[in-house]
Amino acid sequence: MKAIWYAAAALGLAVGVGDVATALAQKPGGTLRIYHRDTPASASLHEEATVSTQLPFMAIYNNLVVYDQQAKRNTMETIVPDLAKSWEWDATKTKLTFKLNDGVKWHDGKPFTSADVKCTFDLLLGKGKQRLRKNPRAIWHRNVEDVTVNGPLEATIVLKEPQPAYLTLLASGYTPIYPCHVSAADMRTKPVGTGPFKFVEFRGNEIIRLAKNPDYFKKGKPYVDMIEMRIIDNRSTRILAFQAGEFDMTFSQDITIPLLKDMEKQAPKAICETKPQYVHRNLIVNREAAPFDNPQIRKAMALAIDRKAFVDILTEGKGDIGGAMLPLPEGAWGMPPEELAKMAGYGGDVAANRAEGRKIMESLGYSAAKPLKVKISTRNIAIYRDPAVILIDQLKQIYMDGELEVVDTPLWHAKVARKDYQVGMNLTGVAVDDPDANMVENYACKSERNYTGYCNPEVEKLIEAQSKIVDVAERKKVVWKIEQILNDDLARPVIYHDRAATCWWPYVKGFVGHENSIYNNWRFEDVWLDK
């Protein structure tokens, strides 16, 4: 099948012709100033699993293909060329061949070739000489048999079996191409890419700077000379700094629904867009740590959760209650209300659920006088800490005495990946609204991101099965069946999906926030400053 790109290119040409005035109005120069909420663990996108890394460093890199930065929703139809100028499936739908752009250079001046594509996938698959310290999305590529090259400007990804949605994973900001000639260790601290901006400096707890790439292969882009991100861990301080004009843009969806009212009052001219994040709050429990290896205790914990209370307190009723996949209407795979209502804990009487939870705990010897003491771990930023406090309060209803343990961002994902916790308030962000990203990454038995160690052979088979289904309606039925099993097994009880706002001043032009993921729209190559 010829790339969807050809139709998209024709559409893009039509839009370009009709928008000449806007194109001519784009002003080069200036520094885009964005505040950052915390210190990223590294600059290596392949090794991290947070928008704290994605937002500041995606602009350094390019993918083979990418989601259109100007389209609000990530879909198969909004995938556009990046390092590849076209792509084509073979008749078996197992070989995906990319024709690459000629003349592309790495930031250090070396030429980009198909060898870099192969090196990147060898790195992800553990086949190369280099090794990633962490590889959270290696599981995305478990169906890849090999990557072959045919000259310097053609590469083919060979799949073991057909996988219709595989291209959606390649378009994520989390799938950049790395250079063969730069070590994995250097990519963490001194990354080299082909993207619109070059790495300048990264000082923890202080600042991240990127500079315009004058040799960018997309001629005329980017427009701004520099991107500067100051790291301010106190949310009130950084929001006040934005309102005072010290920054052009807030961090991604840093403005919660309760904070938005004050923002609108203090900065009425700011543009603030509220969107889903495809980030859900969830309860993670270490199934290998006593007494939480007892499924009855895990069941009691799930019975204690009042989802509506979380939504009402933290989002003033604007958050979404759903399963693992992004809820409707923005989510393509979200469960309809009638299906969601069938799942335990999504309806009924919270008081009755908690009474059942207390009976379970009493049968195990716990009571108000003898509670189970538990350490509740969470990441040390407000969007984690706030729901963790509510979780601790709700667990008291079933005789659990929780103590909050906060963990700094550079340590958090590694800590939960190695199961170094008892119970956690976790946020799971999903880069692509497709089960081949979410279900595989978070619930497959061997995934590094399966933080609870959950492993169900039936779920594993269903995850494999849905990946091969072309018909969307049939695939949804399998995905919803997986959702039911995950909920029944208390794999990682989903509490709610958040909505929040990103704000910027009107002179920031060309930025489009995506509505079904916060991980794919930080290339910044289209952004310019009208000032």
Side-chain angles (χ1 to χ4, degrees):
M1 178 182 71
K2 284 289 180 185
I4 295 168
W5 148 238
Y6 295 117
L11 177 61
L13 179 61
V15 172
V17 171
D19 201 25
V20 174
T22 300
L24 292 176
Q26 290 161 342
K27 298 178 182 177
T31 296
L32 177 65
R33 303 163 304 161
I34 307 171
Y35 71 62
H36 200 302
R37 66 186 182 186
D38 61 348
T39 298
S42 80
S44 177
L45 299 191
H46 283 306
E47 295 190 272
E48 307 304 338
T50 170
V51 72
S52 289
T53 299
Q54 197 68 6
L55 188 153
F57 297 118
M58 180 178 165
I60 292 173
Y61 304 98
N62 288 106
N63 299 14
L64 288 170
V65 294
V66 71
Y67 287 110
D68 187 345
Q69 300 296 282
Q70 296 298 301
K72 291 186 177 182
R73 183 169 294 198
N74 300 163
T75 68
M76 187 74 78
E77 289 71 32
T78 63
I79 295 174
V80 297
D82 210 17
L83 288 171
K85 60 184 180 181
S86 67
W87 58 93
E88 185 176 10
W89 287 101
D90 77 335
T92 69
K93 307 297 184 186
T94 59
K95 294 182 179 179
L96 182 56
T97 298
F98 295 90
K99 302 286 188 181
L100 307 177
N101 282 296
D102 195 6
V104 179
K105 294 181 180 180
W106 294 100
H107 292 156
D108 59 9
K110 296 189 184 320
F112 158 78
T113 72
S114 58
D116 297 302
V117 178
K118 181 170 176 57
C119 282
T120 297
F121 282 88
D122 284 349
L123 187 66
L124 289 169
L125 298 171
K127 293 182 175 181
K129 295 179 181 179
Q130 296 284 331
R131 285 289 185 272
L132 295 172
R133 184 171 54 187
K134 295 176 287 183
N135 198 350
R137 287 166 303 280
I139 199 78
W140 278 13
H141 309 287
R142 64 180 180 176
N143 189 31
V144 175
E145 181 69 41
D146 196 12
V147 174
T148 62
V149 299
N150 182 20
L153 297 177
E154 182 175 299
T156 298
I157 298 176
V158 182
L159 303 181
K160 300 170 187 175
E161 298 180 275
Q163 185 179 355
Y166 185 64
L167 196 68
T168 66
L169 306 181
L170 299 182
S172 168
Y174 271 129
T175 317
I177 300 302
Y178 276 15
C180 285
H181 64 279
V182 179
S183 71
D186 282 345
M187 292 298 283
R188 296 175 199 131
T189 57
K190 296 174 290 184
V192 175
T194 56
F197 293 90
K198 303 170 68 171
F199 176 81
V200 176
E201 67 174 328
F202 170 22
R203 300 201 307 268
N205 296 315
E206 293 185 44
I207 202 163
I208 297 167
R209 283 194 181 96
L210 310 180
K212 178 178 181 175
N213 175 12
D215 298 319
Y216 193 40
F217 70 97
K218 298 181 186 180
K219 300 305 179 186
K221 297 183 179 181
Y223 302 109
V224 300
D225 292 333
M226 180 83 68
I227 299 176
E228 181 177 289
M229 304 182 196
R230 278 173 44 205
I231 300 167
I232 304 174
D233 59 6
N234 184 283
R235 185 164 60 184
S236 296
T237 302
R238 60 185 184 250
I239 291 175
L240 286 171
F242 171 80
Q243 293 170 348
E246 294 181 28
F247 296 99
D248 306 312
M249 180 181 285
T250 71
F251 190 80
S252 174
Q253 294 180 293
D254 194 47
I255 312 303
T256 65
I257 300 299
L259 291 173
L260 185 58
K261 293 178 181 178
D262 183 68
M263 178 67 81
E264 291 170 344
K265 180 180 178 181
Q266 301 299 329
K269 293 183 180 180
I271 298 168
C272 294
E273 287 190 353
T274 302
K275 296 176 182 288
Q277 298 173 304
Y278 205 170
V279 177
H280 61 70
R281 277 66 176 158
N282 54 81
L283 174 67
I284 57 173
V285 182
N286 187 345
R287 293 164 169 254
E288 299 173 4
F292 305 101
D293 55 347
N294 185 332
Q296 287 297 102
I297 286 184
R298 299 199 299 270
K299 181 179 179 180
M301 295 172 74
L303 288 167
I305 295 173
D306 181 353
R307 291 175 169 84
K308 188 175 184 300
F310 277 91
V311 170
D312 289 346
I313 294 169
L314 297 175
T315 75
E316 297 185 350
K318 300 293 177 58
D320 299 295
I321 294 175
M325 300 303 293
L326 182 66
L328 303 171
E330 291 87 0
W333 305 90
M335 300 181 77
E338 61 272 18
E339 293 293 329
L340 193 63
K342 296 176 184 176
M343 301 208 304
Y346 284 83
D349 188 334
V350 172
N353 289 342
R354 288 175 171 173
E356 182 182 350
R358 285 192 289 272
K359 286 183 180 179
I360 291 172
M361 295 298 286
E362 287 164 0
S363 72
L364 297 172
Y366 300 102
S367 65
K370 185 185 176 184
L372 171 61
K373 294 188 180 297
V374 54
K375 186 174 289 185
I376 308 292
S377 303
T378 202
R379 187 172 161 189
N380 192 20
I381 52 179
I383 57 172
Y384 281 70
R385 294 192 305 265
D386 293 348
V389 170
I390 297 174
L391 176 66
I392 288 172
D393 183 66
Q394 292 192 0
L395 290 178
K396 288 179 181 177
Q397 306 299 316
I398 57 160
Y399 312 135
M400 287 194 180
D401 183 9
E403 175 191 354
L404 185 63
E405 177 192 40
V406 294
V407 182
D408 288 340
T409 287
L411 305 175
W412 170 251
H413 291 99
K415 178 182 178 71
V416 293
R418 65 176 182 265
K419 310 293 187 296
D420 181 20
Y421 72 97
Q422 289 183 315
V423 175
M425 168 52 68
N426 184 51
L427 273 65
T428 295
V430 181
V432 178
D433 186 18
D434 191 275
D436 277 4
N438 189 357
M439 295 299 185
V440 172
E441 180 179 337
N442 295 300
Y443 302 101
C445 294
K446 295 182 180 180
S447 174
E448 187 175 304
R449 288 265 281 161
N450 184 349
Y451 296 144
T452 68
Y454 171 79
C455 184
N456 182 330
E458 181 184 5
V459 168
E460 197 81 358
K461 289 178 182 177
L462 290 171
I463 289 175
E464 294 281 357
Q466 64 79 31
S467 186
K468 301 172 188 176
I469 299 172
V470 176
D471 183 83
V472 172
E474 289 302 312
R475 193 176 175 210
K476 282 183 178 179
K477 292 178 183 178
V478 179
V479 172
W480 296 341
K481 184 176 181 180
I482 295 171
E483 289 265 31
Q484 289 275 2
I485 298 171
L486 294 176
N487 189 66
D488 291 345
D489 287 353
L490 308 174
R492 188 188 297 193
V494 175
I495 299 173
Y496 77 97
H497 290 252
D498 197 28
R499 289 176 183 260
T502 305
C503 300
W504 59 92
W505 294 107
Y507 58 77
V508 176
K509 307 292 186 181
F511 174 75
V512 176
H514 292 177
E515 67 181 19
N516 58 347
S517 177
I518 58 169
Y519 298 93
N520 306 322
N521 62 309
W522 306 113
R523 188 59 56 78
F524 292 119
E525 64 187 19
D526 300 316
V527 173
W528 56 285
L529 303 176
D530 187 16
K531 57 187 288 193

